[in-house]
Amino acid sequence: MNTRRDFLQKITYSVMALPFLPSTWQFDLASSDNKPYDGPVLRVAIMGLGGYGTRVAEAMQSCKKAKLAGVISGTPAKIKDWQSKYQIPKKNCYNYENFDTLKDNPDIDAVYVITPNALHHDQVIRAAKAGKHVICEKPMGLNAKEGEEMVRACEEANVKLLVGYRMHFEPNTLEVVRMRQHGDFGKILFFQGQCGFRIGDPNQWRLDKTLAGGGALMDIGIYAINGARYMVGEEPIWVTAQETKTDAVKFKEGVDETILFQLGFPSGAVASCLSTYNMNHLDRFFLNGEKGFAEMQPSTGYGPIVGRTHKGKLTQPHITHQTLQMEEMASIILEGKEAIIPVDGKEGLKDLKIIDAIYQSCKTGDKLTLNL
């Protein structure tokens, strides 16, 4: 079955006010060397043991600051397999009906929600009420209303809510952000984000509006939405969008096949982006400024990320994205570290507001004002 995960294998909050990164970004990754680590460890229960949950679990085996400590699944056979493979105690294994009892388990600090989009809202809120920090895959929810409720629930429970924006920790991505902040590109004029692949199995959950909340935009287009924000370094103030559908049988009502959308920023910079489930070989970011440019292709795949600027090739080291993400998120949760590009729930909420506006613009044809 072709999924976003298969595709990626093959091929913000404004950061303008953040301090410049050093000329060569130094990663604080405990697993990047052989030094012994005796600091705090984030003990994580993964909810949703599918393809991406498996990828995260495997990547965590290389972490020093984060550890796979539990599982939550609706499939008993998967729980049994993971128990054996990762030596997970039975008391740390839950299903979707009983995971509220996590509140009585001191061996788990956080829950990583990796389930279909429509389940995120309720599962994140339940995990927060159980007193656990939450990491949620993107999109954080189905719409901004859900996102606001999720952020509020975690604030009320005094737990952190983070979103699985792995690209916010990716070395070449951060190098482009550093260059932009340093003025290497001059005034930013234009961003282009192309995200797409030809989706396979027509019966998969990603083509079911009740589970996915939409289509390509929710699944792959969010990379262009989020990427436009951290590459330009501003929050968009308007959006226009157009939808094209060539197969109304495969892409039923409410499930978008292809959407073109445009964003405008306070400085006058504009973004032109494409999100599709009907074209392969689309994983490209391009940033243009008065003094230079940055191009990345692939730009959001599992890596290595390949890119160049007007100064030459991007040469930052490739580190497994999920390993780096979990190490850095452990530092955020346990040590109060701040991410260069935020990954908190409010960051996820901003993307949901843009998604809502894109869908609305597709229906009305209107240019809509954004207030993030």
Side-chain angles (χ1 to χ4, degrees):
M1 178 176 70
N2 291 325
T3 68
R4 171 180 62 177
R5 294 7 176 189
D6 298 323
F7 158 71
L8 290 173
Q9 280 182 285
K10 295 175 183 174
I11 53 153
T12 112
Y13 175 85
S14 171
V15 297
M16 292 181 69
L18 292 173
F20 291 157
L21 301 178
S23 59
T24 301
W25 174 243
Q26 300 296 318
F27 297 97
D28 179 21
L29 178 61
S31 60
S32 65
D33 54 43
N34 294 318
K35 295 178 182 177
Y37 175 74
D38 59 1
V41 173
L42 185 71
R43 298 163 299 178
V44 180
I46 291 181
M47 178 184 294
L49 310 184
Y52 194 69
T54 299
R55 179 175 288 276
V56 172
E58 287 298 303
M60 287 179 66
Q61 303 311 299
S62 300
C63 291
K64 292 185 179 180
K65 293 184 179 181
K67 173 186 177 183
L68 176 61
V71 294
I72 306 166
S73 174
T75 307
K78 287 185 178 180
I79 293 177
K80 185 177 180 181
D81 289 344
W82 280 51
Q83 270 189 278
S84 174
K85 184 173 183 178
Y86 299 110
Q87 289 78 54
I88 298 172
K90 186 175 181 180
K91 66 181 180 64
N92 290 356
C93 297
Y94 300 85
N95 58 46
Y96 295 138
E97 287 70 45
N98 69 11
F99 78 85
D100 304 89
T101 59
L102 276 165
K103 65 180 181 295
D104 300 317
N105 190 339
D107 295 336
I108 294 175
D109 305 308
V111 175
Y112 193 160
V113 177
I114 312 177
T115 54
N117 304 336
L119 306 180
H120 292 178
H121 172 267
D122 290 351
Q123 291 171 340
V124 165
I125 291 175
R126 287 173 64 187
K129 288 182 176 178
K132 305 303 178 182
H133 300 294
V134 189
I135 303 168
C136 182
E137 258 312 301
K138 58 197 175 301
M140 190 173 76
L142 295 184
N143 50 54
K145 181 178 181 295
E146 284 197 355
E148 288 168 351
E149 292 171 353
M150 295 161 76
V151 169
R152 184 165 57 250
C154 290
E155 288 177 344
E156 291 174 352
N158 196 30
V159 298
K160 291 188 182 296
L161 171 58
L162 306 181
V163 185
Y165 290 118
R166 57 186 171 80
M167 302 312 299
H168 291 203
F169 307 107
E170 196 280 318
N172 281 313
T173 299
L174 287 180
E175 175 62 9
V176 172
V177 170
R178 183 202 67 78
M179 291 180 67
R180 191 254 302 149
Q181 291 191 75
H182 193 260
D184 290 356
F185 306 123
K187 177 181 171 60
I188 300 301
L189 303 173
F190 176 72
F191 171 79
Q192 183 180 58
Q194 299 174 332
C195 300
F197 66 101
R198 188 179 292 274
I199 200 165
D201 181 6
N203 298 313
Q204 64 180 279
W205 71 264
R206 289 179 180 82
L207 296 177
D208 181 347
K209 187 180 188 303
T210 60
L211 289 175
L217 186 69
M218 300 289 284
D219 184 26
I220 194 73
I222 192 170
Y223 285 98
I225 293 171
N226 192 253
R229 295 172 53 225
Y230 64 68
M231 294 285 277
V232 173
E234 299 178 61
E235 298 296 8
I237 56 175
W238 59 258
V239 62
T240 54
Q242 308 80 38
E243 180 178 2
T244 300
K245 186 173 291 190
T246 64
D247 187 344
V249 175
K250 188 172 187 177
F251 303 100
K252 298 178 176 59
E253 180 66 27
V255 179
D256 49 288
E257 174 189 320
T258 300
I259 291 180
L260 291 162
F261 62 93
Q262 302 79 40
L263 301 169
F265 299 86
S267 67
V270 292
S272 176
C273 301
L274 170 66
S275 166
T276 185
Y277 268 161
N278 199 32
M279 305 176 207
N280 284 328
H281 317 301
L282 290 176
D283 183 14
R284 178 178 179 268
F285 282 0
F286 178 76
L287 184 70
N288 180 262
E290 289 183 336
K291 296 181 180 179
F293 73 90
E295 181 179 35
M296 304 164 76
Q297 185 175 8
S299 57
T300 63
Y302 291 147
I305 299 303
V306 178
R308 64 190 179 104
T309 74
H310 60 288
K311 292 188 173 183
K313 291 183 179 180
L314 293 169
T315 59
Q316 297 299 315
H318 171 65
I319 303 169
T320 299
H321 294 180
Q322 295 78 12
T323 301
L324 182 53
Q325 173 192 310
M326 295 309 296
E327 290 285 71
E328 292 296 295
M329 286 186 166
S331 294
I332 292 169
I333 292 173
L334 298 176
E335 303 166 15
K337 183 176 180 179
E338 293 188 10
I340 299 299
I341 310 172
V343 292
D344 58 24
K346 292 181 179 179
E347 172 80 358
L349 177 57
K350 290 177 181 179
D351 284 342
L352 291 177
K353 289 180 177 179
I354 297 172
I355 287 173
D356 285 353
I358 290 173
Y359 281 136
Q360 184 179 348
S361 182
C362 284
K363 291 178 180 178
T364 66
D366 295 335
K367 179 179 181 179
L368 302 177
T369 299
L370 294 169
N371 184 13
L372 305 184

